[in-house]
Amino acid sequence: MVTLEDVARHAGVSLATASRVLNGSTRQVGASLRARVEQAAQQLGYRTNVAAQTLARGASNVVGLVVHDLTDPYFAALADGAMRVAEDQGLMVMVATTHRDPEREIAYVATLNAQRVRAVLLAGSRIANPGVTRRLREELDRYRATGGRIACVGQDLLGADTVAPGNAEGAAELARALAGLGHRRFAVLAGPPWLITAQDRVSGFTGALAELGLPAPQLVHGTFDRDGGYGAAAEVTDATCVFAVNDVMAVGALASFRDRGIRVPEDVSVAGFDDIATLRDLVPSLTTVRLPLSDMGARALELALDPSEEAREPRVERVSGEVVLRGSTRGLTPEG
Amino acid sequence: MVTLEDVARHAGVSLATASRVLNGSTRQVGASLRARVEQAAQQLGYRTNVAAQTLARGASNVVGLVVHDLTDPYFAALADGAMRVAEDQGLMVMVATTHRDPEREIAYVATLNAQRVRAVLLAGSRIANPGVTRRLREELDRYRATGGRIACVGQDLLGADTVAPGNAEGAAELARALAGLGHRRFAVLAGPPWLITAQDRVSGFTGALAELGLPAPQLVHGTFDRDGGYGAAAEVTDATCVFAVNDVMAVGALASFRDRGIRVPEDVSVAGFDDIATLRDLVPSLTTVRLPLSDMGARALELALDPSEEAREPRVERVSGEVVLRGSTRGLTPEG
DNA sequence: CTGTTAGCGCATTCAG
DNA sequence: CTGAATGCGCTAACAG
């Protein structure tokens, strides 16, 4: 294992000089010494020991990213955006997946704190559980207390900088668009009752329907994934339009209807939420609410890294979804 | 920033004792002291400084994962598998995305080396470029020289433990299955000529066709993604069956045919490769070659971490794909 | 079982 | 501009 000291000796300079040329010091070093050091490092195959550097500097070059599930394209897109800005800033990204276990989320925050990462990004819906949320906040506070920076993508519940998707607003706008198509009887594949993202989308949707004077939709709960959509769709009775609270669930719903010989959109319309890129070529193409996922991930990391955050209120940036009407929903004549 | 020393003082014990109870030492500590230390750590909100720990131990708890693109479900699935075993082993995962830039791949290996990660996993196709491959190998050798472990998912070209998908074999079997359906005139959406994964799938496919005495397929190159499939499909002339060398390209091909009013599978059959889970609900459902992506990622990390690798040949584990015939391909009567 | 001590590799004062 | 010395927080002998 070749160390800085080896390089310095090989180049015939002091440790300090070697350090200055090899690592981003602002200090200047004479051209000839600089060249000697660089050559020595090259010859010896020197690689900075980041652990030592982190210890000496008291700050690391790593950020942490906590997501539920990387195979969910929603999180993959967020992660991609965050990694883009990390690369731009010369930071490495440590990724942790919780698989929707809030205990693991808390544990990972502690671990990332131990790693002394520069910032941690919490992506994904909060859950409606005060005890868990409190303990997560405590862990985050501990991290923050030592200079850690935090940003979230999702609900603004953690007292940290947040990129907050307009779930309720987007769902409301979707409801209005669907109602504009002539639909009156709706069902909502609502996901788990405790997932706040799901809650918000449901309430935004039902709220808009109520404002329009339309009957309340049928609510069917289930998991937040493809199978949740598939299962919930089977329980829908008497609706001309089904809103799945995310695209992946909508895909499950589509499959469920297909398996039962129910045509979309002829027999029933289906809409989702998120506008997952990988799913854009679905047939019928999915009506949904587009969220700029990658940019949201990028923006969240920017917020977390932005140093102008001394002793002030957490910043909350709302990003609104855009309704995209596609082939999975159709217009109804007044007769239905 | 509370340190181990603070905890020790607070608990009235020595640094060493505090270290022994708080971090996974095999050494025993008396119950009463142990309790005092744990309580002190709890009260003070102590978090291990992993950088210091890594420096002192000379070994980190982090593994590196280098993938092309996390938003590609292929890599997301590999990453998911790798992260599963990382979690089991109490390791954190540092993820780097190259976006198919080989220079970045080399640079990230150097960075991960500097981080002194325990192992690095290189996922994704090698490219047919001797210069780049040589420099990558040099960087890997440097890493290995200091005890770093390496595993790859893909081609066995780096002299490291490798999980090698049977690209050629899978494609060959697919070709035979498709020929068995009665197809004679094929086209292959071949991806980039320099991508070895793509090459292998193409050559396996065409080789099997030749063995069957069938005419050589039309080859159309393009990018390895959805748009590459979309564009290449437009150039297909006179084939009853189109093989896209991965599922995501096949989705593009499906879209291309649909946009031009060409029905699948009535007018043309389409097959892919990988069996991406997110795409299983496509209509028509995609005939493909199933690869156990998540398990492959997991296995690769296991190989990298398995210490029984002293001074012996790199292990290469071949994993074979399974042909899955679905709705996007149909049988032909002898008349076509 | 517990405490003392000597580094791990590097950044950074502080002199020169 | 350059070098010598100190310490970052922790682990691992070693001694008791």
mmCIF file with all atom_site columns, all heavy atoms in Angstrom, chain B residues 185-210:
data_model
loop_
_atom_site.group_PDB
_atom_site.id
_atom_site.type_symbol
_atom_site.label_atom_id
_atom_site.label_alt_id
_atom_site.label_comp_id
_atom_site.label_asym_id
_atom_site.label_entity_id
_atom_site.label_seq_id
_atom_site.pdbx_PDB_ins_code
_atom_site.Cartn_x
_atom_site.Cartn_y
_atom_site.Cartn_z
_atom_site.occupancy
_atom_site.B_iso_or_equiv
_atom_site.pdbx_formal_charge
_atom_site.auth_seq_id
_atom_site.auth_comp_id
_atom_site.auth_asym_id
_atom_site.auth_atom_id
_atom_site.pdbx_PDB_model_num
ATOM 1   N N   . ARG B 1 185 ? -37.376 -15.916 -42.190 1.00 0.00 ? 185 ARG B N   1
ATOM 2   C CA  . ARG B 1 185 ? -36.726 -14.648 -42.530 1.00 0.00 ? 185 ARG B CA  1
ATOM 3   C C   . ARG B 1 185 ? -36.690 -13.759 -41.279 1.00 0.00 ? 185 ARG B C   1
ATOM 4   O O   . ARG B 1 185 ? -37.703 -13.296 -40.782 1.00 0.00 ? 185 ARG B O   1
ATOM 5   C CB  . ARG B 1 185 ? -37.490 -13.948 -43.649 1.00 0.00 ? 185 ARG B CB  1
ATOM 6   C CG  . ARG B 1 185 ? -37.630 -14.827 -44.903 1.00 0.00 ? 185 ARG B CG  1
ATOM 7   C CD  . ARG B 1 185 ? -38.093 -14.030 -46.104 1.00 0.00 ? 185 ARG B CD  1
ATOM 8   N NE  . ARG B 1 185 ? -39.228 -13.159 -45.807 1.00 0.00 ? 185 ARG B NE  1
ATOM 9   C CZ  . ARG B 1 185 ? -40.507 -13.585 -45.738 1.00 0.00 ? 185 ARG B CZ  1
ATOM 10  N NH1 . ARG B 1 185 ? -40.803 -14.865 -45.936 1.00 0.00 ? 185 ARG B NH1 1
ATOM 11  N NH2 . ARG B 1 185 ? -41.466 -12.738 -45.493 1.00 0.00 ? 185 ARG B NH2 1
ATOM 12  N N   . PHE B 1 186 ? -35.454 -13.543 -40.785 1.00 0.00 ? 186 PHE B N   1
ATOM 13  C CA  . PHE B 1 186 ? -35.279 -12.815 -39.535 1.00 0.00 ? 186 PHE B CA  1
ATOM 14  C C   . PHE B 1 186 ? -34.581 -11.475 -39.740 1.00 0.00 ? 186 PHE B C   1
ATOM 15  O O   . PHE B 1 186 ? -33.835 -11.303 -40.713 1.00 0.00 ? 186 PHE B O   1
ATOM 16  C CB  . PHE B 1 186 ? -34.434 -13.630 -38.556 1.00 0.00 ? 186 PHE B CB  1
ATOM 17  C CG  . PHE B 1 186 ? -35.113 -14.873 -38.041 1.00 0.00 ? 186 PHE B CG  1
ATOM 18  C CD1 . PHE B 1 186 ? -34.963 -16.091 -38.702 1.00 0.00 ? 186 PHE B CD1 1
ATOM 19  C CD2 . PHE B 1 186 ? -35.912 -14.822 -36.903 1.00 0.00 ? 186 PHE B CD2 1
ATOM 20  C CE1 . PHE B 1 186 ? -35.587 -17.230 -38.227 1.00 0.00 ? 186 PHE B CE1 1
ATOM 21  C CE2 . PHE B 1 186 ? -36.542 -15.961 -36.426 1.00 0.00 ? 186 PHE B CE2 1
ATOM 22  C CZ  . PHE B 1 186 ? -36.378 -17.166 -37.088 1.00 0.00 ? 186 PHE B CZ  1
ATOM 23  N N   . ALA B 1 187 ? -34.830 -10.603 -38.797 1.00 0.00 ? 187 ALA B N   1
ATOM 24  C CA  . ALA B 1 187 ? -34.003 -9.390  -38.704 1.00 0.00 ? 187 ALA B CA  1
ATOM 25  C C   . ALA B 1 187 ? -33.533 -9.290  -37.260 1.00 0.00 ? 187 ALA B C   1
ATOM 26  O O   . ALA B 1 187 ? -34.225 -9.728  -36.340 1.00 0.00 ? 187 ALA B O   1
ATOM 27  C CB  . ALA B 1 187 ? -34.813 -8.155  -39.091 1.00 0.00 ? 187 ALA B CB  1
ATOM 28  N N   . VAL B 1 188 ? -32.343 -8.758  -37.077 1.00 0.00 ? 188 VAL B N   1
ATOM 29  C CA  . VAL B 1 188 ? -31.812 -8.575  -35.732 1.00 0.00 ? 188 VAL B CA  1
ATOM 30  C C   . VAL B 1 188 ? -31.536 -7.091  -35.501 1.00 0.00 ? 188 VAL B C   1
ATOM 31  O O   . VAL B 1 188 ? -30.788 -6.467  -36.265 1.00 0.00 ? 188 VAL B O   1
ATOM 32  C CB  . VAL B 1 188 ? -30.516 -9.383  -35.524 1.00 0.00 ? 188 VAL B CB  1
ATOM 33  C CG1 . VAL B 1 188 ? -29.965 -9.130  -34.126 1.00 0.00 ? 188 VAL B CG1 1
ATOM 34  C CG2 . VAL B 1 188 ? -30.776 -10.870 -35.739 1.00 0.00 ? 188 VAL B CG2 1
ATOM 35  N N   . LEU B 1 189 ? -32.168 -6.543  -34.479 1.00 0.00 ? 189 LEU B N   1
ATOM 36  C CA  . LEU B 1 189 ? -31.844 -5.172  -34.060 1.00 0.00 ? 189 LEU B CA  1
ATOM 37  C C   . LEU B 1 189 ? -30.659 -5.313  -33.126 1.00 0.00 ? 189 LEU B C   1
ATOM 38  O O   . LEU B 1 189 ? -30.789 -5.725  -31.983 1.00 0.00 ? 189 LEU B O   1
ATOM 39  C CB  . LEU B 1 189 ? -33.043 -4.543  -33.353 1.00 0.00 ? 189 LEU B CB  1
ATOM 40  C CG  . LEU B 1 189 ? -34.386 -4.741  -34.073 1.00 0.00 ? 189 LEU B CG  1
ATOM 41  C CD1 . LEU B 1 189 ? -35.474 -3.916  -33.388 1.00 0.00 ? 189 LEU B CD1 1
ATOM 42  C CD2 . LEU B 1 189 ? -34.275 -4.386  -35.545 1.00 0.00 ? 189 LEU B CD2 1
ATOM 43  N N   . ALA B 1 190 ? -29.476 -4.999  -33.673 1.00 0.00 ? 190 ALA B N   1
ATOM 44  C CA  . ALA B 1 190 ? -28.237 -5.537  -33.127 1.00 0.00 ? 190 ALA B CA  1
ATOM 45  C C   . ALA B 1 190 ? -27.538 -4.657  -32.107 1.00 0.00 ? 190 ALA B C   1
ATOM 46  O O   . ALA B 1 190 ? -26.520 -5.051  -31.543 1.00 0.00 ? 190 ALA B O   1
ATOM 47  C CB  . ALA B 1 190 ? -27.283 -5.868  -34.269 1.00 0.00 ? 190 ALA B CB  1
ATOM 48  N N   . GLY B 1 191 ? -28.044 -3.463  -31.865 1.00 0.00 ? 191 GLY B N   1
ATOM 49  C CA  . GLY B 1 191 ? -27.336 -2.580  -30.938 1.00 0.00 ? 191 GLY B CA  1
ATOM 50  C C   . GLY B 1 191 ? -26.026 -2.098  -31.529 1.00 0.00 ? 191 GLY B C   1
ATOM 51  O O   . GLY B 1 191 ? -25.770 -2.264  -32.722 1.00 0.00 ? 191 GLY B O   1
ATOM 52  N N   . PRO B 1 192 ? -25.167 -1.520  -30.720 1.00 0.00 ? 192 PRO B N   1
ATOM 53  C CA  . PRO B 1 192 ? -23.906 -0.967  -31.209 1.00 0.00 ? 192 PRO B CA  1
ATOM 54  C C   . PRO B 1 192 ? -22.915 -2.092  -31.516 1.00 0.00 ? 192 PRO B C   1
ATOM 55  O O   . PRO B 1 192 ? -22.841 -3.070  -30.776 1.00 0.00 ? 192 PRO B O   1
ATOM 56  C CB  . PRO B 1 192 ? -23.393 -0.145  -30.020 1.00 0.00 ? 192 PRO B CB  1
ATOM 57  C CG  . PRO B 1 192 ? -24.492 -0.139  -29.013 1.00 0.00 ? 192 PRO B CG  1
ATOM 58  C CD  . PRO B 1 192 ? -25.354 -1.314  -29.290 1.00 0.00 ? 192 PRO B CD  1
ATOM 59  N N   . PRO B 1 193 ? -22.162 -1.951  -32.579 1.00 0.00 ? 193 PRO B N   1
ATOM 60  C CA  . PRO B 1 193 ? -21.226 -3.001  -32.990 1.00 0.00 ? 193 PRO B CA  1
ATOM 61  C C   . PRO B 1 193 ? -20.128 -3.258  -31.958 1.00 0.00 ? 193 PRO B C   1
ATOM 62  O O   . PRO B 1 193 ? -19.544 -4.343  -31.943 1.00 0.00 ? 193 PRO B O   1
ATOM 63  C CB  . PRO B 1 193 ? -20.607 -2.451  -34.281 1.00 0.00 ? 193 PRO B CB  1
ATOM 64  C CG  . PRO B 1 193 ? -21.424 -1.279  -34.680 1.00 0.00 ? 193 PRO B CG  1
ATOM 65  C CD  . PRO B 1 193 ? -22.191 -0.817  -33.499 1.00 0.00 ? 193 PRO B CD  1
ATOM 66  N N   . TRP B 1 194 ? -19.833 -2.288  -31.124 1.00 0.00 ? 194 TRP B N   1
ATOM 67  C CA  . TRP B 1 194 ? -18.715 -2.447  -30.197 1.00 0.00 ? 194 TRP B CA  1
ATOM 68  C C   . TRP B 1 194 ? -19.119 -2.997  -28.831 1.00 0.00 ? 194 TRP B C   1
ATOM 69  O O   . TRP B 1 194 ? -18.261 -3.242  -27.988 1.00 0.00 ? 194 TRP B O   1
ATOM 70  C CB  . TRP B 1 194 ? -18.013 -1.105  -30.000 1.00 0.00 ? 194 TRP B CB  1
ATOM 71  C CG  . TRP B 1 194 ? -18.924 -0.042  -29.481 1.00 0.00 ? 194 TRP B CG  1
ATOM 72  C CD1 . TRP B 1 194 ? -19.254 0.185   -28.182 1.00 0.00 ? 194 TRP B CD1 1
ATOM 73  C CD2 . TRP B 1 194 ? -19.643 0.916   -30.243 1.00 0.00 ? 194 TRP B CD2 1
ATOM 74  N NE1 . TRP B 1 194 ? -20.145 1.219   -28.091 1.00 0.00 ? 194 TRP B NE1 1
ATOM 75  C CE2 . TRP B 1 194 ? -20.400 1.699   -29.336 1.00 0.00 ? 194 TRP B CE2 1
ATOM 76  C CE3 . TRP B 1 194 ? -19.734 1.199   -31.619 1.00 0.00 ? 194 TRP B CE3 1
ATOM 77  C CZ2 . TRP B 1 194 ? -21.236 2.731   -29.772 1.00 0.00 ? 194 TRP B CZ2 1
ATOM 78  C CZ3 . TRP B 1 194 ? -20.553 2.242   -32.021 1.00 0.00 ? 194 TRP B CZ3 1
ATOM 79  C CH2 . TRP B 1 194 ? -21.288 2.993   -31.108 1.00 0.00 ? 194 TRP B CH2 1
ATOM 80  N N   . LEU B 1 195 ? -20.398 -3.184  -28.629 1.00 0.00 ? 195 LEU B N   1
ATOM 81  C CA  . LEU B 1 195 ? -20.855 -3.700  -27.342 1.00 0.00 ? 195 LEU B CA  1
ATOM 82  C C   . LEU B 1 195 ? -20.809 -5.222  -27.364 1.00 0.00 ? 195 LEU B C   1
ATOM 83  O O   . LEU B 1 195 ? -21.533 -5.864  -28.127 1.00 0.00 ? 195 LEU B O   1
ATOM 84  C CB  . LEU B 1 195 ? -22.287 -3.268  -27.080 1.00 0.00 ? 195 LEU B CB  1
ATOM 85  C CG  . LEU B 1 195 ? -22.560 -2.247  -25.996 1.00 0.00 ? 195 LEU B CG  1
ATOM 86  C CD1 . LEU B 1 195 ? -24.017 -2.290  -25.602 1.00 0.00 ? 195 LEU B CD1 1
ATOM 87  C CD2 . LEU B 1 195 ? -21.676 -2.448  -24.787 1.00 0.00 ? 195 LEU B CD2 1
ATOM 88  N N   . ILE B 1 196 ? -19.998 -5.787  -26.492 1.00 0.00 ? 196 ILE B N   1
ATOM 89  C CA  . ILE B 1 196 ? -19.776 -7.221  -26.608 1.00 0.00 ? 196 ILE B CA  1
ATOM 90  C C   . ILE B 1 196 ? -21.020 -8.030  -26.263 1.00 0.00 ? 196 ILE B C   1
ATOM 91  O O   . ILE B 1 196 ? -21.292 -9.066  -26.869 1.00 0.00 ? 196 ILE B O   1
ATOM 92  C CB  . ILE B 1 196 ? -18.562 -7.621  -25.742 1.00 0.00 ? 196 ILE B CB  1
ATOM 93  C CG1 . ILE B 1 196 ? -17.333 -6.879  -26.280 1.00 0.00 ? 196 ILE B CG1 1
ATOM 94  C CG2 . ILE B 1 196 ? -18.333 -9.122  -25.806 1.00 0.00 ? 196 ILE B CG2 1
ATOM 95  C CD1 . ILE B 1 196 ? -16.041 -7.254  -25.646 1.00 0.00 ? 196 ILE B CD1 1
ATOM 96  N N   . THR B 1 197 ? -21.788 -7.557  -25.296 1.00 0.00 ? 197 THR B N   1
ATOM 97  C CA  . THR B 1 197 ? -23.043 -8.241  -24.997 1.00 0.00 ? 197 THR B CA  1
ATOM 98  C C   . THR B 1 197 ? -23.914 -8.323  -26.247 1.00 0.00 ? 197 THR B C   1
ATOM 99  O O   . THR B 1 197 ? -24.465 -9.383  -26.578 1.00 0.00 ? 197 THR B O   1
ATOM 100 C CB  . THR B 1 197 ? -23.807 -7.490  -23.885 1.00 0.00 ? 197 THR B CB  1
ATOM 101 O OG1 . THR B 1 197 ? -23.053 -7.574  -22.676 1.00 0.00 ? 197 THR B OG1 1
ATOM 102 C CG2 . THR B 1 197 ? -25.173 -8.087  -23.667 1.00 0.00 ? 197 THR B CG2 1
ATOM 103 N N   . ALA B 1 198 ? -24.006 -7.198  -26.932 1.00 0.00 ? 198 ALA B N   1
ATOM 104 C CA  . ALA B 1 198 ? -24.810 -7.172  -28.154 1.00 0.00 ? 198 ALA B CA  1
ATOM 105 C C   . ALA B 1 198 ? -24.206 -8.107  -29.200 1.00 0.00 ? 198 ALA B C   1
ATOM 106 O O   . ALA B 1 198 ? -24.912 -8.911  -29.820 1.00 0.00 ? 198 ALA B O   1
ATOM 107 C CB  . ALA B 1 198 ? -24.888 -5.743  -28.690 1.00 0.00 ? 198 ALA B CB  1
ATOM 108 N N   . GLN B 1 199 ? -22.900 -8.029  -29.360 1.00 0.00 ? 199 GLN B N   1
ATOM 109 C CA  . GLN B 1 199 ? -22.217 -8.916  -30.314 1.00 0.00 ? 199 GLN B CA  1
ATOM 110 C C   . GLN B 1 199 ? -22.537 -10.381 -30.044 1.00 0.00 ? 199 GLN B C   1
ATOM 111 O O   . GLN B 1 199 ? -22.851 -11.149 -30.955 1.00 0.00 ? 199 GLN B O   1
ATOM 112 C CB  . GLN B 1 199 ? -20.700 -8.743  -30.205 1.00 0.00 ? 199 GLN B CB  1
ATOM 113 C CG  . GLN B 1 199 ? -20.144 -7.466  -30.758 1.00 0.00 ? 199 GLN B CG  1
ATOM 114 C CD  . GLN B 1 199 ? -18.632 -7.376  -30.522 1.00 0.00 ? 199 GLN B CD  1
ATOM 115 O OE1 . GLN B 1 199 ? -18.000 -8.330  -30.038 1.00 0.00 ? 199 GLN B OE1 1
ATOM 116 N NE2 . GLN B 1 199 ? -18.057 -6.245  -30.872 1.00 0.00 ? 199 GLN B NE2 1
ATOM 117 N N   . ASP B 1 200 ? -22.418 -10.757 -28.782 1.00 0.00 ? 200 ASP B N   1
ATOM 118 C CA  . ASP B 1 200 ? -22.617 -12.162 -28.430 1.00 0.00 ? 200 ASP B CA  1
ATOM 119 C C   . ASP B 1 200 ? -24.034 -12.628 -28.734 1.00 0.00 ? 200 ASP B C   1
ATOM 120 O O   . ASP B 1 200 ? -24.262 -13.737 -29.203 1.00 0.00 ? 200 ASP B O   1
ATOM 121 C CB  . ASP B 1 200 ? -22.327 -12.382 -26.946 1.00 0.00 ? 200 ASP B CB  1
ATOM 122 C CG  . ASP B 1 200 ? -20.845 -12.279 -26.642 1.00 0.00 ? 200 ASP B CG  1
ATOM 123 O OD1 . ASP B 1 200 ? -20.045 -12.239 -27.601 1.00 0.00 ? 200 ASP B OD1 1
ATOM 124 O OD2 . ASP B 1 200 ? -20.491 -12.223 -25.449 1.00 0.00 ? 200 ASP B OD2 1
ATOM 125 N N   . ARG B 1 201 ? -24.979 -11.752 -28.437 1.00 0.00 ? 201 ARG B N   1
ATOM 126 C CA  . ARG B 1 201 ? -26.358 -12.141 -28.695 1.00 0.00 ? 201 ARG B CA  1
ATOM 127 C C   . ARG B 1 201 ? -26.608 -12.260 -30.190 1.00 0.00 ? 201 ARG B C   1
ATOM 128 O O   . ARG B 1 201 ? -27.291 -13.169 -30.649 1.00 0.00 ? 201 ARG B O   1
ATOM 129 C CB  . ARG B 1 201 ? -27.313 -11.130 -28.042 1.00 0.00 ? 201 ARG B CB  1
ATOM 130 C CG  . ARG B 1 201 ? -27.238 -11.210 -26.526 1.00 0.00 ? 201 ARG B CG  1
ATOM 131 C CD  . ARG B 1 201 ? -28.096 -10.190 -25.803 1.00 0.00 ? 201 ARG B CD  1
ATOM 132 N NE  . ARG B 1 201 ? -27.897 -10.327 -24.353 1.00 0.00 ? 201 ARG B NE  1
ATOM 133 C CZ  . ARG B 1 201 ? -28.508 -9.573  -23.428 1.00 0.00 ? 201 ARG B CZ  1
ATOM 134 N NH1 . ARG B 1 201 ? -29.359 -8.627  -23.798 1.00 0.00 ? 201 ARG B NH1 1
ATOM 135 N NH2 . ARG B 1 201 ? -28.274 -9.775  -22.154 1.00 0.00 ? 201 ARG B NH2 1
ATOM 136 N N   . VAL B 1 202 ? -26.035 -11.339 -30.934 1.00 0.00 ? 202 VAL B N   1
ATOM 137 C CA  . VAL B 1 202 ? -26.181 -11.399 -32.383 1.00 0.00 ? 202 VAL B CA  1
ATOM 138 C C   . VAL B 1 202 ? -25.542 -12.669 -32.931 1.00 0.00 ? 202 VAL B C   1
ATOM 139 O O   . VAL B 1 202 ? -26.149 -13.413 -33.708 1.00 0.00 ? 202 VAL B O   1
ATOM 140 C CB  . VAL B 1 202 ? -25.538 -10.164 -33.053 1.00 0.00 ? 202 VAL B CB  1
ATOM 141 C CG1 . VAL B 1 202 ? -25.511 -10.336 -34.564 1.00 0.00 ? 202 VAL B CG1 1
ATOM 142 C CG2 . VAL B 1 202 ? -26.290 -8.897  -32.670 1.00 0.00 ? 202 VAL B CG2 1
ATOM 143 N N   . SER B 1 203 ? -24.322 -12.924 -32.509 1.00 0.00 ? 203 SER B N   1
ATOM 144 C CA  . SER B 1 203 ? -23.615 -14.071 -33.101 1.00 0.00 ? 203 SER B CA  1
ATOM 145 C C   . SER B 1 203 ? -24.247 -15.386 -32.671 1.00 0.00 ? 203 SER B C   1
ATOM 146 O O   . SER B 1 203 ? -24.316 -16.327 -33.454 1.00 0.00 ? 203 SER B O   1
ATOM 147 C CB  . SER B 1 203 ? -22.126 -14.024 -32.740 1.00 0.00 ? 203 SER B CB  1
ATOM 148 O OG  . SER B 1 203 ? -21.978 -14.230 -31.354 1.00 0.00 ? 203 SER B OG  1
ATOM 149 N N   . GLY B 1 204 ? -24.722 -15.449 -31.454 1.00 0.00 ? 204 GLY B N   1
ATOM 150 C CA  . GLY B 1 204 ? -25.415 -16.665 -31.040 1.00 0.00 ? 204 GLY B CA  1
ATOM 151 C C   . GLY B 1 204 ? -26.651 -16.911 -31.884 1.00 0.00 ? 204 GLY B C   1
ATOM 152 O O   . GLY B 1 204 ? -26.926 -18.034 -32.308 1.00 0.00 ? 204 GLY B O   1
ATOM 153 N N   . PHE B 1 205 ? -27.349 -15.836 -32.129 1.00 0.00 ? 205 PHE B N   1
ATOM 154 C CA  . PHE B 1 205 ? -28.587 -15.941 -32.899 1.00 0.00 ? 205 PHE B CA  1
ATOM 155 C C   . PHE B 1 205 ? -28.310 -16.340 -34.338 1.00 0.00 ? 205 PHE B C   1
ATOM 156 O O   . PHE B 1 205 ? -28.869 -17.306 -34.860 1.00 0.00 ? 205 PHE B O   1
ATOM 157 C CB  . PHE B 1 205 ? -29.309 -14.587 -32.856 1.00 0.00 ? 205 PHE B CB  1
ATOM 158 C CG  . PHE B 1 205 ? -30.740 -14.627 -33.301 1.00 0.00 ? 205 PHE B CG  1
ATOM 159 C CD1 . PHE B 1 205 ? -31.749 -14.979 -32.421 1.00 0.00 ? 205 PHE B CD1 1
ATOM 160 C CD2 . PHE B 1 205 ? -31.085 -14.290 -34.602 1.00 0.00 ? 205 PHE B CD2 1
ATOM 161 C CE1 . PHE B 1 205 ? -33.080 -15.003 -32.821 1.00 0.00 ? 205 PHE B CE1 1
ATOM 162 C CE2 . PHE B 1 205 ? -32.410 -14.317 -35.018 1.00 0.00 ? 205 PHE B CE2 1
ATOM 163 C CZ  . PHE B 1 205 ? -33.409 -14.670 -34.120 1.00 0.00 ? 205 PHE B CZ  1
ATOM 164 N N   . THR B 1 206 ? -27.398 -15.626 -34.970 1.00 0.00 ? 206 THR B N   1
ATOM 165 C CA  . THR B 1 206 ? -27.113 -15.912 -36.381 1.00 0.00 ? 206 THR B CA  1
ATOM 166 C C   . THR B 1 206 ? -26.448 -17.276 -36.527 1.00 0.00 ? 206 THR B C   1
ATOM 167 O O   . THR B 1 206 ? -26.711 -18.002 -37.482 1.00 0.00 ? 206 THR B O   1
ATOM 168 C CB  . THR B 1 206 ? -26.192 -14.837 -36.992 1.00 0.00 ? 206 THR B CB  1
ATOM 169 O OG1 . THR B 1 206 ? -24.981 -14.792 -36.232 1.00 0.00 ? 206 THR B OG1 1
ATOM 170 C CG2 . THR B 1 206 ? -26.851 -13.479 -36.951 1.00 0.00 ? 206 THR B CG2 1
ATOM 171 N N   . GLY B 1 207 ? -25.609 -17.618 -35.558 1.00 0.00 ? 207 GLY B N   1
ATOM 172 C CA  . GLY B 1 207 ? -24.964 -18.927 -35.626 1.00 0.00 ? 207 GLY B CA  1
ATOM 173 C C   . GLY B 1 207 ? -25.982 -20.052 -35.617 1.00 0.00 ? 207 GLY B C   1
ATOM 174 O O   . GLY B 1 207 ? -25.898 -20.995 -36.425 1.00 0.00 ? 207 GLY B O   1
ATOM 175 N N   . ALA B 1 208 ? -26.949 -19.961 -34.734 1.00 0.00 ? 208 ALA B N   1
ATOM 176 C CA  . ALA B 1 208 ? -27.967 -21.001 -34.648 1.00 0.00 ? 208 ALA B CA  1
ATOM 177 C C   . ALA B 1 208 ? -28.774 -21.072 -35.934 1.00 0.00 ? 208 ALA B C   1
ATOM 178 O O   . ALA B 1 208 ? -29.118 -22.158 -36.427 1.00 0.00 ? 208 ALA B O   1
ATOM 179 C CB  . ALA B 1 208 ? -28.887 -20.743 -33.457 1.00 0.00 ? 208 ALA B CB  1
ATOM 180 N N   . LEU B 1 209 ? -29.076 -19.911 -36.488 1.00 0.00 ? 209 LEU B N   1
ATOM 181 C CA  . LEU B 1 209 ? -29.810 -19.876 -37.747 1.00 0.00 ? 209 LEU B CA  1
ATOM 182 C C   . LEU B 1 209 ? -29.026 -20.600 -38.836 1.00 0.00 ? 209 LEU B C   1
ATOM 183 O O   . LEU B 1 209 ? -29.578 -21.395 -39.619 1.00 0.00 ? 209 LEU B O   1
ATOM 184 C CB  . LEU B 1 209 ? -30.041 -18.417 -38.155 1.00 0.00 ? 209 LEU B CB  1
ATOM 185 C CG  . LEU B 1 209 ? -31.440 -17.803 -37.997 1.00 0.00 ? 209 LEU B CG  1
ATOM 186 C CD1 . LEU B 1 209 ? -32.239 -18.405 -36.867 1.00 0.00 ? 209 LEU B CD1 1
ATOM 187 C CD2 . LEU B 1 209 ? -31.335 -16.294 -37.838 1.00 0.00 ? 209 LEU B CD2 1
ATOM 188 N N   . ALA B 1 210 ? -27.729 -20.315 -38.885 1.00 0.00 ? 210 ALA B N   1
ATOM 189 C CA  . ALA B 1 210 ? -26.886 -20.947 -39.901 1.00 0.00 ? 210 ALA B CA  1
ATOM 190 C C   . ALA B 1 210 ? -26.876 -22.453 -39.723 1.00 0.00 ? 210 ALA B C   1
ATOM 191 O O   . ALA B 1 210 ? -26.989 -23.207 -40.699 1.00 0.00 ? 210 ALA B O   1
ATOM 192 C CB  . ALA B 1 210 ? -25.461 -20.391 -39.813 1.00 0.00 ? 210 ALA B CB  1
#
